[in-house]
Amino acid sequence: QVQLQESGPGLVKPSQTLSLTCTVSGGSISSGGYYWSWIRQHPGKGLEWIGYIYYSGSTYYNPSLKSRVTISVDTSKNQFSLKLSSVTAADTAVYYCARDWCSSTSCYSDYWGQGTLVTVSS
Amino acid sequence: SYVLTQPPSVSVAPGQTARITCGGNNIGSKSVHWYQQKPGQAPVLVVYDDSDRPSGIPERFSGSNSGNTATLTISRVEAGDEADYYCQVWDSSSDPPYVFGTGTKVTVL
């Protein structure tokens, strides 16, 4: 059973960089076949896809966040990470990591982490 | 970007059938996936590729997709089905390609 677990600071100051790590167990990122996503949910709101990474390091970001987002992968630790720079209160949200099954015409998240609340405040 | 529209809320009595729609331009040409999210929990995939169910999801959950509307149907609704439901598609011609619907709150009366 694949499990994902987010970790990182729950409080970030405005203008600083939000950094989160997702640790994957029960499966290897480097085995390929899956993409690894970050998704967030503002309080009381819907889901927003941030971007994903393949084990090779190939990435795709939501254009609304692209200028501030970096997703990276560390296959030796079976982890992938999110960095979001220049954060404001509007980045306060629950951040989820997820495993994506993707084909040429379809992509969905079949396993999710429990989510971690990140609050941006001074 | 591609837009998916869902009704904000659906109410259903226990034992009845709930139908949640997801509207999008020519959505019938895309694969639609559905997630259930209970308060304080992460979303759970309940239907993928229009009508397939992951292991462990009850047969009461089913999906269909045609034209401009995809539908998640929950038969014999139980109190435990009360949750938010989101549709999602991957549209390679859109940016971002990974799009969620606006979400529907299902209330069991």
Side-chain angles (χ1 to χ4, degrees):
Chain A
Q1 179 82 348
V2 174
Q3 292 184 313
L4 297 93
Q5 178 68 59
E6 305 89 351
S7 60
L11 181 64
V12 180
K13 289 182 167 51
S15 80
Q16 294 191 343
T17 296
L18 177 161
S19 296
L20 296 174
T21 296
C22 182
T23 301
V24 179
S25 58
S28 173
I29 289 178
S30 58
S31 63
Y34 296 98
Y35 290 75
W36 304 89
S37 272
W38 287 98
I39 295 161
R40 70 180 182 178
Q41 186 170 35
H42 294 102
K45 301 298 184 182
L47 299 164
E48 179 183 27
W49 181 74
I50 297 171
Y52 69 26
I53 191 165
Y54 196 56
Y55 80 97
S56 61
S58 174
T59 56
Y60 199 138
Y61 301 138
N62 188 322
S64 69
L65 297 168
K66 187 175 182 178
S67 63
R68 299 193 291 130
V69 169
T70 302
I71 298 176
S72 59
V73 64
D74 185 338
T75 55
S76 67
K77 295 182 179 179
N78 219 31
Q79 296 175 334
F80 63 107
S81 298
L82 169 71
K83 290 188 185 299
L84 182 65
S85 64
S86 305
V87 297
T88 69
D91 295 308
T92 293
V94 174
Y95 287 77
Y96 296 99
C97 58
R99 187 185 83 166
D100 291 347
W101 168 254
C102 298
S103 67
S104 59
T105 58
S106 176
C107 192
Y108 56 85
S109 300
D110 57 356
Y111 287 96
W112 296 64
Q114 66 185 25
T116 187
L117 174 63
V118 178
T119 301
V120 178
S121 175
S122 56
Chain B
S1 62
Y2 191 73
V3 177
L4 295 173
T5 302
Q6 299 180 235
S9 63
V10 168
S11 297
V12 59
Q16 299 303 303
T17 298
R19 293 180 178 85
I20 305 161
T21 58
C22 176
N25 185 37
N26 197 27
I27 195 173
S29 66
K30 310 179 193 304
S31 292
V32 179
H33 322 293
W34 292 91
Y35 303 88
Q36 175 194 69
Q37 185 180 33
K38 296 182 179 179
Q41 297 184 20
V44 172
L45 182 70
V46 293
V47 167
Y48 65 97
D49 289 346
D50 295 341
S51 58
D52 291 332
R53 280 185 311 277
S55 174
I57 300 301
E59 292 183 5
R60 300 185 299 103
F61 290 84
S62 62
S64 62
N65 185 19
S66 179
N68 293 318
T69 304
T71 303
L72 174 69
T73 301
I74 311 172
S75 304
R76 303 179 300 282
V77 166
E78 303 174 355
D81 298 331
E82 186 163 288
D84 293 326
Y85 291 83
Y86 295 90
C87 58
Q88 178 252 314
V89 301
W90 175 266
D91 181 6
S92 59
S93 64
S94 177
D95 202 7
Y98 196 116
V99 181
F100 287 102
T102 50
T104 299
K105 167 67 175 178
V106 170
T107 299
V108 180
L109 301 171

